Amino acid sequence: MKALAVVHPPWPPHLPSRPQPKSRLRNTRFRVSSSLIKESQSQSQSQQQYKPGVVDELFVNVFRNKMVEEVGWDSDKPGYDGLIEVANRLMLKNPTNSDTKEAAVRVLISLFPPFLLELYKLLVAPIQGGKIAALMVARVTAISCQWLMGPCTVNSVDLPDGNSWTSGVFVEKCKYLEESKCVGICINTCKLPTQSFFKDYMGVHLLMEPNFNDYSCFKFGVIPPLPEDDATLKEPCLDICLDATRRKEIAKNIIVEQCPKA
């Protein structure tokens, strides 16, 4: 029997080369991606990952109920919209911004067991000059407060002494500020009372620097400036503020350089 010789023809030079495996194609695309694309993808992924659920609704209701107890009034609107109306009523109820701040601090205190705040300030806050406490509250805030502020992540904070701690919280777009549409509500029911609460009741310095352009904020471990040196307190009204729009329509020639509620 004659042996059969099977000769394989060479790969035709005029045909395209063999396709690369899919995994290699994916790696190639990843390597050539620019940092800007990666950053936008990361932000969009964080927004996609966060979806309000049952726990968020529970937190909203608990926080709202505490505010209702302080204000003595509740809104007919459900959920977050009602919470914002209660925050507005908190501003209207108190004769001064200082009174509003103190009322908001009482609301924050009521959310925690008293012994927990005292133990944290006594045992945790002094460790390593406050570093451990600042790192801890930054992470807890980023994880547990998205129901109030929206998607947020921990970031690095530069301290006055030249050191850098990962004790900041970057809020991509603060829902509370966006929905309230008011610089004064942000400052007097959130920024100032929250700074006082963490310093006086948890022993942690906090500087909140809300960006009124993109609604982003939280620097734990940083001492806030004095009120007269805080540029945030001199901010004008937001473009989306309904009251500011009405004032502009009534008094077109009057320029308001600072939010009246701030």
Side-chain angles (χ1 to χ4, degrees):
M1 181 180 293
K2 295 182 179 181
L4 296 178
V6 180
V7 179
H8 295 280
W11 187 263
H14 61 279
L15 294 178
S17 59
R18 296 180 185 271
Q20 295 180 345
K22 292 182 179 179
S23 60
R24 295 176 62 184
L25 285 176
R26 284 197 297 268
N27 292 338
T28 302
R29 285 199 297 269
F30 178 78
R31 285 197 297 269
V32 300
S33 296
S34 68
S35 59
L36 181 61
I37 294 175
K38 290 181 200 174
E39 183 178 356
S40 64
Q41 289 176 344
S42 175
Q43 292 179 353
S44 63
Q45 287 175 356
S46 65
Q47 291 177 347
Q48 292 174 358
Q49 289 173 357
Y50 172 71
K51 294 181 180 180
V54 177
V55 176
D56 299 87
E57 184 178 351
L58 175 63
F59 283 149
V60 170
N61 291 332
V62 170
F63 185 64
R64 176 175 172 170
N65 289 337
K66 294 296 184 180
M67 290 191 69
V68 168
E69 291 177 7
E70 177 65 35
V71 175
W73 175 88
D74 197 3
S75 168
D76 293 331
K77 294 183 179 179
Y80 204 94
D81 291 339
L83 172 64
I84 295 300
E85 286 203 344
V86 176
N88 272 282
R89 184 59 66 96
L90 183 67
M91 288 281 294
L92 296 173
K93 175 188 176 182
N94 293 283
T96 66
N97 289 339
S98 178
D99 292 328
T100 301
K101 170 189 167 184
E102 292 175 3
V105 169
R106 289 194 294 270
V107 172
L108 293 175
I109 295 173
S110 68
L111 296 171
F112 297 85
F115 69 87
L116 179 62
L117 298 177
E118 295 173 4
L119 289 177
Y120 195 90
K121 184 176 181 179
L122 178 65
L123 301 178
V124 181
I127 301 175
Q128 294 186 22
K131 180 178 181 179
I132 299 301
L135 297 181
M136 289 177 62
V137 292
R139 280 149 182 78
V140 172
T141 300
I143 294 173
S144 63
C145 292
Q146 297 192 57
W147 61 270
L148 179 64
M149 303 180 296
C152 49
T153 55
V154 175
N155 64 357
S156 181
V157 171
D158 294 326
L159 303 180
D161 60 4
N163 290 322
S164 180
W165 294 353
T166 54
S167 60
V169 177
F170 176 74
V171 184
E172 293 182 8
K173 192 172 185 180
C174 182
K175 183 178 180 181
Y176 188 74
L177 175 57
E178 185 178 22
E179 294 296 329
S180 67
K181 301 179 177 63
C182 181
V183 171
I185 290 179
C186 168
I187 290 174
N188 296 302
T189 69
C190 184
K191 171 183 162 61
L192 294 180
T194 304
Q195 289 179 170
S196 296
F197 168 76
F198 275 102
K199 173 62 176 65
D200 297 337
Y201 294 92
M202 298 189 72
V204 180
H205 290 295
L206 167 63
L207 170 59
M208 293 180 66
E209 291 183 319
N211 186 320
F212 295 110
N213 293 318
D214 61 9
Y215 310 135
S216 61
C217 238
F218 272 102
K219 295 182 178 179
F220 290 101
V222 179
I223 300 176
L226 296 174
E228 56 267 26
D229 299 326
D230 195 337
T232 304
L233 306 186
K234 303 176 179 65
E235 284 286 334
C237 291
L238 300 175
D239 292 335
I240 59 176
C241 177
L242 299 179
D243 291 340
T245 302
R246 295 191 191 100
R247 282 194 297 270
K248 290 178 182 178
E249 292 174 351
I250 297 173
K252 296 182 179 179
N253 297 326
I254 298 178
I255 300 176
V256 180
E257 296 182 353
Q258 179 180 345
C259 173
K261 296 181 180 180

